[in-house]
Amino acid sequence: MTILDESGNNTEYQLPSTSFAKTQLPSTETAAAKNPHLYFKVPSALWTGGYIQALSGPGLVMLLILLAERAGEKAVWFGTKEFPARYFISAGTRTKGTKELQALSLLTTLSVPLPQPNGDVFDPRRRRYLYRLNGAAVLSQNEQQP
């Protein structure tokens, strides 16, 4: 019996930590091709505080997306057209998950106006939502990567 990689490409299985370490070596490949085993840490306070257990599917998927985007370190935003194409979840799931994270004080959302292209008062007022994880959703000093 031979354990193969879960991608189905018929290559031998490697531990994610080994694969990740190998991708840190200098290479001319693109980031996505170079790093198919990228992973991130989930703050232990989410487990010990009972947040993971309390989250519904939409809340958990938005938490994982925001953790992957490092929203605990910096504010992030998503384009309305690019978000569903990139993550394959609906706008309703995004909204429900975001509201759930806000209700648990794990997420702060800020709406900021975008510059008007022509400065015309008849241009529609466009806004961008910035997301930032906080509280138990942020890695503690002990958990942060070196």
Side-chain angles (χ1 to χ4, degrees), residues 66-137:
L66 291 164
L67 285 170
E69 293 293 335
R70 305 181 111 184
E73 300 171 21
K74 62 186 182 341
V76 298
W77 64 274
F78 305 103
T80 54
K81 291 180 182 175
E82 290 80 22
F83 187 84
R86 184 171 182 182
Y87 295 107
F88 301 101
I89 65 170
S90 69
T93 299
R94 175 181 172 177
T95 301
K96 185 176 179 186
T98 301
K99 287 182 180 181
E100 187 174 343
L101 293 173
Q102 288 173 316
L104 291 171
S105 298
L106 297 175
L107 179 67
T108 301
T109 305
L110 179 65
S111 174
V112 296
L114 292 175
Q116 298 301 310
N118 300 326
D120 189 350
V121 295
F122 295 109
D123 284 338
R125 296 282 176 194
R126 298 179 337 152
R127 302 190 73 72
R128 173 176 292 156
Y129 288 95
L130 300 177
Y131 302 97
R132 179 132 192 179
L133 292 172
N134 49 55

Side-chain angles (χ1 to χ4, degrees), residues 40 42 52 59-69 87 101:
F40 54 89
V42 175
I52 293 289
L60 183 58
V61 75
M62 280 307 300
L63 174 64
L64 292 174
I65 288 169
L66 291 164
L67 285 170
E69 293 293 335
Y87 295 107
L101 293 173

